[in-house]
Each structure stands twice: as structure tokens, then as C-alpha cells.
mmCIF file of all heavy atoms in Angstrom:
data_model
loop_
_atom_site.group_PDB
_atom_site.id
_atom_site.type_symbol
_atom_site.label_atom_id
_atom_site.label_comp_id
_atom_site.label_asym_id
_atom_site.label_seq_id
_atom_site.Cartn_x
_atom_site.Cartn_y
_atom_site.Cartn_z
ATOM 1 N N ALA A 189 11.677 152.792 113.451
ATOM 2 C CA ALA A 189 11.826 152.862 111.995
ATOM 3 C C ALA A 189 10.927 151.869 111.268
ATOM 4 O O ALA A 189 10.388 152.185 110.204
ATOM 5 C CB ALA A 189 13.286 152.642 111.608
ATOM 6 N N ASP A 190 10.722 150.688 111.830
ATOM 7 C CA ASP A 190 9.889 149.692 111.154
ATOM 8 C C ASP A 190 8.393 149.964 111.316
ATOM 9 O O ASP A 190 7.577 149.341 110.641
ATOM 10 C CB ASP A 190 10.220 148.289 111.658
ATOM 11 C CG ASP A 190 9.964 148.112 113.143
ATOM 12 O OD1 ASP A 190 9.958 149.125 113.871
ATOM 13 O OD2 ASP A 190 9.775 146.960 113.575
ATOM 14 N N ARG A 191 8.020 150.889 112.189
ATOM 15 C CA ARG A 191 6.606 151.215 112.413
ATOM 16 C C ARG A 191 6.153 152.417 111.592
ATOM 17 O O ARG A 191 4.974 152.555 111.310
ATOM 18 C CB ARG A 191 6.370 151.480 113.894
ATOM 19 C CG ARG A 191 6.568 150.254 114.761
ATOM 20 C CD ARG A 191 6.325 150.622 116.213
ATOM 21 N NE ARG A 191 6.564 149.486 117.072
ATOM 22 C CZ ARG A 191 7.701 149.270 117.724
ATOM 23 N NH1 ARG A 191 8.700 150.110 117.604
ATOM 24 N NH2 ARG A 191 7.846 148.221 118.488
ATOM 25 N N ILE A 192 7.067 153.314 111.243
ATOM 26 C CA ILE A 192 6.732 154.521 110.490
ATOM 27 C C ILE A 192 6.967 154.212 109.012
ATOM 28 O O ILE A 192 8.088 153.952 108.598
ATOM 29 C CB ILE A 192 7.573 155.709 110.972
ATOM 30 C CG1 ILE A 192 7.283 155.970 112.454
ATOM 31 C CG2 ILE A 192 7.292 156.938 110.132
ATOM 32 C CD1 ILE A 192 8.185 156.985 113.106
ATOM 33 N N ILE A 193 5.892 154.274 108.217
ATOM 34 C CA ILE A 193 5.984 153.794 106.840
ATOM 35 C C ILE A 193 5.905 154.902 105.789
ATOM 36 O O ILE A 193 5.919 154.614 104.601
ATOM 37 C CB ILE A 193 4.912 152.721 106.564
ATOM 38 C CG1 ILE A 193 3.520 153.246 106.852
ATOM 39 C CG2 ILE A 193 5.204 151.481 107.373
ATOM 40 C CD1 ILE A 193 2.405 152.268 106.535
ATOM 41 N N ASP A 194 5.839 156.158 106.196
ATOM 42 C CA ASP A 194 5.812 157.249 105.236
ATOM 43 C C ASP A 194 6.325 158.515 105.909
ATOM 44 O O ASP A 194 6.394 158.594 107.137
ATOM 45 C CB ASP A 194 4.384 157.464 104.718
ATOM 46 C CG ASP A 194 4.332 158.157 103.379
ATOM 47 O OD1 ASP A 194 5.394 158.549 102.851
ATOM 48 O OD2 ASP A 194 3.211 158.309 102.846
ATOM 49 N N GLU A 195 6.693 159.490 105.093
ATOM 50 C CA GLU A 195 7.151 160.774 105.624
ATOM 51 C C GLU A 195 6.009 161.470 106.367
ATOM 52 O O GLU A 195 4.848 161.370 105.951
ATOM 53 C CB GLU A 195 7.624 161.683 104.481
ATOM 54 C CG GLU A 195 8.898 161.215 103.824
ATOM 55 C CD GLU A 195 10.097 161.316 104.756
ATOM 56 O OE1 GLU A 195 10.239 162.344 105.443
ATOM 57 O OE2 GLU A 195 10.883 160.351 104.790
ATOM 58 N N PRO A 196 6.307 162.199 107.443
ATOM 59 C CA PRO A 196 5.237 162.913 108.147
ATOM 60 C C PRO A 196 4.685 164.047 107.285
ATOM 61 O O PRO A 196 5.406 164.648 106.490
ATOM 62 C CB PRO A 196 5.927 163.460 109.399
ATOM 63 C CG PRO A 196 7.371 163.464 109.081
ATOM 64 C CD PRO A 196 7.606 162.389 108.073
ATOM 65 N N GLU A 197 3.408 164.289 107.436
ATOM 66 C CA GLU A 197 2.755 165.414 106.768
ATOM 67 C C GLU A 197 2.448 166.457 107.844
ATOM 68 O O GLU A 197 1.612 166.233 108.717
ATOM 69 C CB GLU A 197 1.463 164.971 106.091
ATOM 70 C CG GLU A 197 0.732 166.101 105.413
ATOM 71 C CD GLU A 197 -0.627 165.678 104.878
ATOM 72 O OE1 GLU A 197 -0.942 164.474 104.917
ATOM 73 O OE2 GLU A 197 -1.365 166.567 104.441
ATOM 74 N N ILE A 198 3.153 167.566 107.790
ATOM 75 C CA ILE A 198 2.951 168.636 108.774
ATOM 76 C C ILE A 198 1.951 169.607 108.183
ATOM 77 O O ILE A 198 2.266 170.364 107.255
ATOM 78 C CB ILE A 198 4.278 169.322 109.124
ATOM 79 C CG1 ILE A 198 5.243 168.287 109.692
ATOM 80 C CG2 ILE A 198 4.037 170.464 110.117
ATOM 81 C CD1 ILE A 198 6.649 168.795 109.898
ATOM 82 N N VAL A 199 0.722 169.571 108.704
ATOM 83 C CA VAL A 199 -0.348 170.407 108.185
ATOM 84 C C VAL A 199 -0.184 171.838 108.699
ATOM 85 O O VAL A 199 -0.343 172.785 107.958
ATOM 86 C CB VAL A 199 -1.726 169.826 108.556
ATOM 87 C CG1 VAL A 199 -2.847 170.695 108.039
ATOM 88 C CG2 VAL A 199 -1.848 168.407 108.020
ATOM 89 N N GLY A 200 0.148 171.994 109.969
ATOM 90 C CA GLY A 200 0.384 173.320 110.536
ATOM 91 C C GLY A 200 -0.527 173.619 111.709
ATOM 92 O O GLY A 200 -1.056 172.712 112.354
ATOM 93 N N VAL A 201 -0.752 174.897 111.958
ATOM 94 C CA VAL A 201 -1.582 175.332 113.078
ATOM 95 C C VAL A 201 -3.044 175.055 112.731
ATOM 96 O O VAL A 201 -3.560 175.524 111.720
ATOM 97 C CB VAL A 201 -1.374 176.822 113.391
ATOM 98 C CG1 VAL A 201 -2.311 177.282 114.502
ATOM 99 C CG2 VAL A 201 0.075 177.083 113.775
ATOM 100 N N GLU A 202 -3.690 174.282 113.569
ATOM 101 C CA GLU A 202 -5.088 173.908 113.374
ATOM 102 C C GLU A 202 -6.029 174.886 114.057
ATOM 103 O O GLU A 202 -7.082 175.207 113.548
ATOM 104 C CB GLU A 202 -5.295 172.491 113.917
ATOM 105 C CG GLU A 202 -6.680 171.939 113.773
ATOM 106 C CD GLU A 202 -6.989 171.514 112.345
ATOM 107 O OE1 GLU A 202 -6.067 171.387 111.526
ATOM 108 O OE2 GLU A 202 -8.166 171.316 112.057
ATOM 109 N N ALA A 203 -5.643 175.344 115.269
ATOM 110 C CA ALA A 203 -6.513 176.243 116.034
ATOM 111 C C ALA A 203 -5.700 176.965 117.094
ATOM 112 O O ALA A 203 -4.652 176.491 117.522
ATOM 113 C CB ALA A 203 -7.641 175.450 116.695
ATOM 114 N N LEU A 204 -6.220 178.113 117.500
ATOM 115 C CA LEU A 204 -5.654 178.888 118.608
ATOM 116 C C LEU A 204 -6.719 178.989 119.685
ATOM 117 O O LEU A 204 -7.868 179.313 119.397
ATOM 118 C CB LEU A 204 -5.246 180.288 118.146
ATOM 119 C CG LEU A 204 -4.172 180.344 117.062
ATOM 120 C CD1 LEU A 204 -4.004 181.772 116.577
ATOM 121 C CD2 LEU A 204 -2.870 179.798 117.572
ATOM 122 N N GLY A 205 -6.337 178.720 120.923
ATOM 123 C CA GLY A 205 -7.276 178.812 122.034
ATOM 124 C C GLY A 205 -6.755 179.756 123.094
ATOM 125 O O GLY A 205 -5.693 180.359 122.950
ATOM 126 N N ASP A 206 -7.533 179.896 124.170
ATOM 127 C CA ASP A 206 -7.122 180.757 125.272
ATOM 128 C C ASP A 206 -5.798 180.315 125.872
ATOM 129 O O ASP A 206 -4.996 181.133 126.291
ATOM 130 C CB ASP A 206 -8.180 180.782 126.377
ATOM 131 C CG ASP A 206 -9.443 181.502 125.945
ATOM 132 O OD1 ASP A 206 -9.377 182.295 124.984
ATOM 133 O OD2 ASP A 206 -10.491 181.262 126.563
ATOM 134 N N SER A 207 -5.590 179.013 125.925
ATOM 135 C CA SER A 207 -4.361 178.509 126.539
ATOM 136 C C SER A 207 -3.768 177.366 125.728
ATOM 137 O O SER A 207 -3.169 176.460 126.289
ATOM 138 C CB SER A 207 -4.648 178.069 127.970
ATOM 139 O OG SER A 207 -5.579 177.012 127.960
ATOM 140 N N ALA A 208 -3.929 177.413 124.402
ATOM 141 C CA ALA A 208 -3.406 176.307 123.596
ATOM 142 C C ALA A 208 -3.171 176.743 122.156
ATOM 143 O O ALA A 208 -3.849 177.624 121.650
ATOM 144 C CB ALA A 208 -4.381 175.140 123.617
ATOM 145 N N VAL A 209 -2.205 176.110 121.547
ATOM 146 C CA VAL A 209 -1.993 176.178 120.113
ATOM 147 C C VAL A 209 -2.081 174.735 119.631
ATOM 148 O O VAL A 209 -1.301 173.888 120.047
ATOM 149 C CB VAL A 209 -0.619 176.783 119.758
ATOM 150 C CG1 VAL A 209 -0.392 176.752 118.262
ATOM 151 C CG2 VAL A 209 -0.496 178.192 120.300
ATOM 152 N N ILE A 210 -3.056 174.448 118.780
ATOM 153 C CA ILE A 210 -3.280 173.094 118.295
ATOM 154 C C ILE A 210 -2.593 172.944 116.942
ATOM 155 O O ILE A 210 -2.884 173.685 116.007
ATOM 156 C CB ILE A 210 -4.788 172.788 118.135
ATOM 157 C CG1 ILE A 210 -5.556 173.124 119.410
ATOM 158 C CG2 ILE A 210 -5.002 171.339 117.704
ATOM 159 C CD1 ILE A 210 -5.154 172.336 120.616
ATOM 160 N N LEU A 211 -1.661 172.003 116.867
ATOM 161 C CA LEU A 211 -0.938 171.727 115.633
ATOM 162 C C LEU A 211 -1.422 170.396 115.061
ATOM 163 O O LEU A 211 -1.787 169.495 115.809
ATOM 164 C CB LEU A 211 0.569 171.643 115.906
ATOM 165 C CG LEU A 211 1.199 172.846 116.593
ATOM 166 C CD1 LEU A 211 2.651 172.558 116.909
ATOM 167 C CD2 LEU A 211 1.073 174.072 115.728
ATOM 168 N N ARG A 212 -1.408 170.285 113.743
ATOM 169 C CA ARG A 212 -1.819 169.024 113.116
ATOM 170 C C ARG A 212 -0.656 168.433 112.334
ATOM 171 O O ARG A 212 0.002 169.114 111.560
ATOM 172 C CB ARG A 212 -2.998 169.230 112.193
ATOM 173 C CG ARG A 212 -3.459 167.919 111.560
ATOM 174 C CD ARG A 212 -4.775 168.044 110.868
ATOM 175 N NE ARG A 212 -5.830 168.449 111.754
ATOM 176 C CZ ARG A 212 -6.714 167.633 112.327
ATOM 177 N NH1 ARG A 212 -6.607 166.340 112.126
ATOM 178 N NH2 ARG A 212 -7.658 168.094 113.092
ATOM 179 N N LEU A 213 -0.408 167.154 112.602
ATOM 180 C CA LEU A 213 0.632 166.394 111.923
ATOM 181 C C LEU A 213 0.063 165.011 111.643
ATOM 182 O O LEU A 213 -0.602 164.426 112.488
ATOM 183 C CB LEU A 213 1.860 166.264 112.826
ATOM 184 C CG LEU A 213 2.900 165.278 112.352
ATOM 185 C CD1 LEU A 213 4.115 166.024 111.827
ATOM 186 C CD2 LEU A 213 3.289 164.348 113.467
ATOM 187 N N ARG A 214 0.308 164.513 110.463
ATOM 188 C CA ARG A 214 -0.123 163.155 110.123
ATOM 189 C C ARG A 214 1.111 162.285 109.941
ATOM 190 O O ARG A 214 2.043 162.660 109.246
ATOM 191 C CB ARG A 214 -0.946 163.163 108.844
ATOM 192 C CG ARG A 214 -2.263 163.862 109.004
ATOM 193 C CD ARG A 214 -3.106 163.708 107.745
ATOM 194 N NE ARG A 214 -4.307 164.498 107.877
ATOM 195 C CZ ARG A 214 -4.603 165.527 107.092
ATOM 196 N NH1 ARG A 214 -3.800 165.875 106.106
ATOM 197 N NH2 ARG A 214 -5.703 166.213 107.280
ATOM 198 N N LEU A 215 1.062 161.128 110.566
ATOM 199 C CA LEU A 215 2.174 160.194 110.505
ATOM 200 C C LEU A 215 1.604 158.820 110.177
ATOM 201 O O LEU A 215 0.779 158.296 110.926
ATOM 202 C CB LEU A 215 2.894 160.175 111.852
ATOM 203 C CG LEU A 215 4.252 159.535 111.925
ATOM 204 C CD1 LEU A 215 5.230 160.198 110.967
ATOM 205 C CD2 LEU A 215 4.793 159.630 113.337
ATOM 206 N N LYS A 216 1.996 158.261 109.058
ATOM 207 C CA LYS A 216 1.490 156.955 108.630
ATOM 208 C C LYS A 216 2.346 155.867 109.263
ATOM 209 O O LYS A 216 3.563 155.850 109.103
ATOM 210 C CB LYS A 216 1.528 156.855 107.112
ATOM 211 C CG LYS A 216 0.752 155.699 106.569
ATOM 212 C CD LYS A 216 0.641 155.805 105.055
ATOM 213 C CE LYS A 216 -0.259 154.738 104.503
ATOM 214 N NZ LYS A 216 -0.401 154.867 103.043
ATOM 215 N N VAL A 217 1.666 154.972 109.988
ATOM 216 C CA VAL A 217 2.356 153.914 110.721
ATOM 217 C C VAL A 217 1.723 152.560 110.403
ATOM 218 O O VAL A 217 0.640 152.488 109.821
ATOM 219 C CB VAL A 217 2.331 154.168 112.247
ATOM 220 C CG1 VAL A 217 3.023 155.474 112.595
ATOM 221 C CG2 VAL A 217 0.915 154.166 112.778
ATOM 222 N N THR A 218 2.387 151.505 110.816
ATOM 223 C CA THR A 218 1.862 150.160 110.603
ATOM 224 C C THR A 218 0.619 149.940 111.471
ATOM 225 O O THR A 218 0.487 150.555 112.539
ATOM 226 C CB THR A 218 2.926 149.106 110.942
ATOM 227 O OG1 THR A 218 3.356 149.303 112.290
ATOM 228 C CG2 THR A 218 4.106 149.190 110.001
ATOM 229 N N PRO A 219 -0.285 149.078 111.015
ATOM 230 C CA PRO A 219 -1.506 148.814 111.791
ATOM 231 C C PRO A 219 -1.189 148.335 113.204
ATOM 232 O O PRO A 219 -0.313 147.506 113.421
ATOM 233 C CB PRO A 219 -2.200 147.707 110.987
ATOM 234 C CG PRO A 219 -1.682 147.854 109.594
ATOM 235 C CD PRO A 219 -0.260 148.329 109.753
ATOM 236 N N GLY A 220 -1.909 148.920 114.162
ATOM 237 C CA GLY A 220 -1.755 148.523 115.556
ATOM 238 C C GLY A 220 -0.656 149.239 116.316
ATOM 239 O O GLY A 220 -0.567 149.110 117.531
ATOM 240 N N SER A 221 0.189 149.992 115.633
ATOM 241 C CA SER A 221 1.291 150.670 116.333
ATOM 242 C C SER A 221 1.026 152.150 116.573
ATOM 243 O O SER A 221 1.875 152.843 117.129
ATOM 244 C CB SER A 221 2.597 150.495 115.557
ATOM 245 O OG SER A 221 2.524 151.166 114.317
#
């Protein structure tokens, strides 16, 4: 809790591959953590 300093930003599906689904999420945390 002390390392996560903002709500997560769920961007969504970034790419589809032959054997992968790439999702993008941004999480703002304290420096170094």
C-alpha cells in the first residue's frame, strides 16, 4: 500500500500474437519500488 501511489490505469489489449495476448496496465509507484 505504501508503494502504490495512484489508481491503476488499465489501457487494455495492446497486441495479439500467435501465442500471446499483450495487455497494458500502468501502475504509479514510489521511486525504486
Side-chain angles (χ1 to χ4, degrees):
D190 61 337
R191 294 179 183 97
I192 299 172
I193 57 177
D194 203 356
E195 291 293 316
E197 179 186 353
I198 301 172
V199 179
V201 176
E202 181 75 15
L204 299 173
D206 291 340
S207 62
V209 176
I210 308 298
L211 305 175
R212 181 168 300 262
L213 169 107
R214 293 186 186 117
L215 194 58
K216 193 170 186 178
V217 299
T218 57
S221 66

